[in-house]
Amino acid sequence: MCGRNPAHCAEYWKAVQELWLRLYLSNLVVIAAVNGSSPAGGCLIALTCDYRVLADNPKYLMGLNETLLGIVAPFWFKDTLVNTIGHRAAERALQLGLLFPPAEALQVGMVDKVVPEDQVQSTALSVMAQWLAIPDHARQLTKNMMRKATVDRLVKERDSDIKNFVSFISRDSIQKYLQMYLEKLKQKKG
Amino acid sequence: MCGRNPAHCAEYWKAVQELWLRLYLSNLVVIAAVNGSSPAGGCLIALTCDYRVLADNPKYLMGLNETLLGIVAPFWFKDTLVNTIGHRAAERALQLGLLFPPAEALQVGMVDKVVPEDQVQSTALSVMAQWLAIPDHARQLTKNMMRKATVDRLVKERDSDIKNFVSFISRDSIQKYLQMYLEKLKQKKG
Amino acid sequence: MCGRNPAHCAEYWKAVQELWLRLYLSNLVVIAAVNGSSPAGGCLIALTCDYRVLADNPKYLMGLNETLLGIVAPFWFKDTLVNTIGHRAAERALQLGLLFPPAEALQVGMVDKVVPEDQVQSTALSVMAQWLAIPDHARQLTKNMMRKATVDRLVKERDSDIKNFVSFISRDSIQKYLQMYLEKLKQKKG
């Protein structure tokens, strides 16, 4: 992620914020075609899209699994998830760091459609065509109306959010957890 | 709707606000018995009711389809929809201007019950009886508690909401969209 | 509940608030194993837990049935329910004072799992083990992030909430309703 250099970590986190701010209020239609696992930040990016198509492969897991790494999803990850799957499902998913396989991701509302792996691209394209058929200025204003309040919260709290992240991530106990988690992943893959 | 006379448009929009404010916080039990299509304002009125029964006819479509007309549902339409079907479903429905046939309206939670066309009235009446059996003062206070915050938002913003509507609706590009949409409707019916 | 002595009622209500405040933000993992009916306050307590397992017995009813007693669930009961089952389902459940049997409680999201009566304990224990396997500090901070805003609302309004309760509960008309309701319950049981 960003190691133990606080300045490096602050830069990193600012960039993640920037990315989310741009994607979540993007005027473009963005359709996610997901052909692999999307934990943590990958899941967040998918959640900023207008529509999510996921390949039906039980190995493709999706979720904000921060607690499994001993860290905490920041409030704007949480807000994005609550906007997508509701408060209760988000509370359970975030506390347990749940990674959903396709069928469960669909049921909980984390994705909008699950299709065979070779149809992900074509499905995403036809969904895209449906969204692009809508008068563009009206669609953009509507998207903005739905998401503006969530974005404003982070805009107001960017500095304190960076401080929180940096101080949290540089704790010894957290670094230990992260290393343990990465070790486990390596062993699985190895 | 209200043509191109700004004063006329402002009066019109004020009346729509008034109607919603009264219906959404009405102390009466209001059950919607829907026997036809309810786009835009018709859908909004149904959403202010305590319970919605819809006739099972695939031609009866329901939804806030404003984007299809090149316009944008105001924030209090959006709030009413979010209160009914949740944030994610509302975001998709509003951006795409979705009009739901009965089975989908039921699934997304836009209506509470779908019944054969000749049972809409009797179903609505028996639902009404169930609601009227509740101690009335307690039911009214509970309804008020659930809806007051949503109403307060518009009460605070009535003037700017009227201004927004008038300036938006009188743009040339919007008028052109509206006329195109009305033309299409005429051709379909003709 | 607390009869007609205002000081007694105020003490009682303060204790209920205290209980909810502690449970809803508890740092512990709390799994509800429900082996009986849980109306009103019993339901509230179950809703503060992290996960709810209910015995599959159609006699076990669960819900915030305050309106049936002629009283109104306070806003923080309402907020807890909205956080669990969403705005629309909460509005209907609270207005009608619905008591859900297990299958419906599961469907609406009021409980997370329904199991045969003799498996409630073992299911709750295995769920507990799953939650305890999560790094504890990360889980606690996440729970706090999800629930803090709801708790803050009551903390800010504790005194006025007590006043409301005391003045409401001591009205003659309310006392009459409560007595009628208790009479009906006695007759059912007798």
Side-chain angles (χ1 to χ4, degrees), chain A residues 67 90-97, chain C residues 50 131 134 139 142-143:
Chain A
T67 56
E91 182 179 284
R92 184 168 160 257
L94 285 174
Q95 284 202 60
L96 295 176
Chain C
D50 292 301
W131 286 69
I134 308 299
R139 185 195 53 73
T142 302
K143 183 173 180 176

Side-chain angles (χ1 to χ4, degrees), chain C residues 118-156:
Chain C
D118 60 353
Q119 294 169 27
V120 170
Q121 291 294 334
S122 59
T123 304
L125 282 174
S126 79
V127 169
M128 175 69 88
Q130 185 197 6
W131 286 69
L132 291 178
I134 308 299
D136 212 47
H137 65 285
R139 185 195 53 73
Q140 284 176 22
L141 288 168
T142 302
K143 183 173 180 176
N144 190 68
M145 174 175 66
M146 294 301 304
R147 298 186 170 192
K148 187 73 169 26
T150 305
V151 161
D152 284 348
R153 281 194 66 202
L154 176 58
V155 169
K156 240 177 89 179

Side-chain angles (χ1 to χ4, degrees), chain A residues 61-185:
Chain A
L61 305 177
M62 192 172 173
L64 297 175
N65 61 329
E66 276 77 357
T67 56
L68 298 186
L69 287 71
I71 58 176
V72 178
F75 71 87
W76 40 287
F77 283 49
K78 180 262 290 177
D79 290 343
T80 310
L81 186 62
V82 168
N83 285 351
T84 310
I85 67 172
H87 192 278
R88 168 57 189 158
E91 182 179 284
R92 184 168 160 257
L94 285 174
Q95 284 202 60
L96 295 176
L98 294 179
L99 288 165
F100 297 95
E104 290 178 30
L106 183 65
Q107 201 186 4
V108 80
M110 201 169 257
V111 298
D112 298 293
K113 199 148 197 159
V114 171
V115 298
E117 202 145 358
D118 61 353
Q119 294 169 29
V120 169
Q121 292 294 334
S122 59
T123 304
L125 282 173
S126 77
V127 169
M128 176 68 90
Q130 184 197 8
W131 285 70
L132 290 177
I134 308 300
D136 212 48
H137 65 285
R139 184 194 54 72
Q140 285 177 22
L141 288 168
T142 303
K143 184 174 180 176
N144 189 69
M145 174 174 67
M146 293 303 304
R147 298 185 169 194
K148 187 73 170 23
T150 305
V151 161
D152 284 348
R153 281 194 66 200
L154 176 58
V155 169
K156 241 178 84 181
E157 312 256 350
R158 282 191 75 168
D159 289 346
S160 67
D161 182 61
I162 292 174
K163 258 185 219 162
N164 281 347
F165 176 76
V166 174
S167 80
F168 194 82
I169 211 73
S170 51
R171 285 191 215 162
D172 283 343
S173 58
I174 302 301
Q175 287 286 330
K176 216 177 64 187
Y177 262 116
L178 282 173
Q179 279 163 17
M180 276 166 48
Y181 189 81
L182 294 174
E183 281 303 319
K184 267 196 236 165
L185 280 186

Side-chain angles (χ1 to χ4, degrees), chain B residues 137-155:
Chain B
H137 65 285
R139 185 194 53 72
Q140 286 177 20
L141 288 167
T142 302
K143 183 173 180 176
N144 189 70
M145 174 175 67
M146 293 303 303
R147 298 186 169 193
K148 187 71 170 23
T150 306
V151 161
D152 284 349
R153 280 194 67 200
L154 176 57
V155 169

Side-chain angles (χ1 to χ4, degrees), chain B residues 6-110:
Chain B
H8 187 180
C9 274
E11 276 309 304
Y12 168 77
W13 198 242
K14 206 176 161 185
V16 176
Q17 288 180 342
E18 204 75 55
L19 183 66
W20 179 79
L21 289 168
R22 286 187 192 191
L23 289 176
Y24 202 56
L25 272 196
S26 169
N27 274 333
L28 301 174
V29 172
V30 190
I31 309 297
V34 186
N35 250 318
S37 277
S38 46
C43 176
L44 179 74
I45 287 174
L47 293 176
T48 64
C49 296
D50 293 301
Y51 195 93
R52 285 159 288 284
V53 181
L54 175 58
D56 191 7
N57 183 329
K59 288 186 190 159
Y60 294 170
L61 305 177
M62 192 171 172
L64 296 174
N65 60 330
E66 276 77 358
T67 56
L68 298 186
L69 288 70
I71 58 176
V72 178
F75 73 86
W76 40 288
F77 282 50
K78 180 262 289 175
D79 290 344
T80 310
L81 187 62
V82 168
N83 285 351
T84 310
I85 66 173
H87 192 278
R88 167 59 189 157
E91 182 178 283
R92 185 169 161 256
L94 285 174
Q95 283 203 61
L96 295 177
L98 295 179
L99 288 165
F100 297 95
E104 290 178 29
L106 183 65
Q107 201 186 4
V108 80
M110 201 169 259

